[in-house]
Amino acid sequence: MSIALFIYILYTGVRIYSGVLIIYALLSWFPGAYDSMFGRLISRISEPYLSLFDRLNLNIGMIGFNVMIAIIVLNLAASGLGRILESIMY
């Protein structure tokens, strides 16, 4: 497997996981959404990563910014890893 393919898979995975995190955040707008089968699946996928940001207390009033910060950190980490791998490749 070439490094370029690995980088493509990495970026695609990050885009998909970012979408899952956005869906997780949007489910909070609907009462009982986390109790549905779809909500439980999204929660099971999202909460292990989001729990890393719980102790940062990223709430302002009733609005939590954990998901937004988690997406930013995820994309920055993937971008950094992608750049390192690209520098190794060339």
Side-chain angles (χ1 to χ4, degrees):
M1 181 159 97
S2 71
I3 293 178
L5 178 61
F6 180 74
I7 293 170
Y8 174 76
I9 291 171
L10 174 72
Y11 287 148
T12 302
V14 167
R15 271 196 309 246
I16 291 170
Y17 197 69
S18 295
V20 169
L21 292 174
I22 290 169
I23 292 169
Y24 178 84
L26 292 175
L27 285 177
S28 68
W29 294 0
F30 303 101
Y34 291 119
D35 297 328
S36 69
M37 192 164 87
F38 179 70
R40 286 192 302 269
L41 174 68
I42 295 295
S43 295
R44 185 178 288 178
I45 294 170
S46 302
E47 286 177 355
Y49 177 63
L50 291 174
S51 67
L52 299 172
F53 299 93
D54 285 343
R55 62 188 135 184
L56 297 178
N57 194 17
L58 300 169
N59 295 331
I60 297 176
M62 298 276 301
I63 299 172
F65 292 96
N66 290 2
V67 175
M68 184 172 48
I69 298 300
I71 291 171
I72 291 170
V73 168
L74 180 67
N75 283 296
L76 286 174
S79 177
L81 182 60
R83 287 176 192 238
I84 291 170
L85 291 173
E86 285 176 358
S87 69
I88 291 171
M89 189 169 75
Y90 296 115

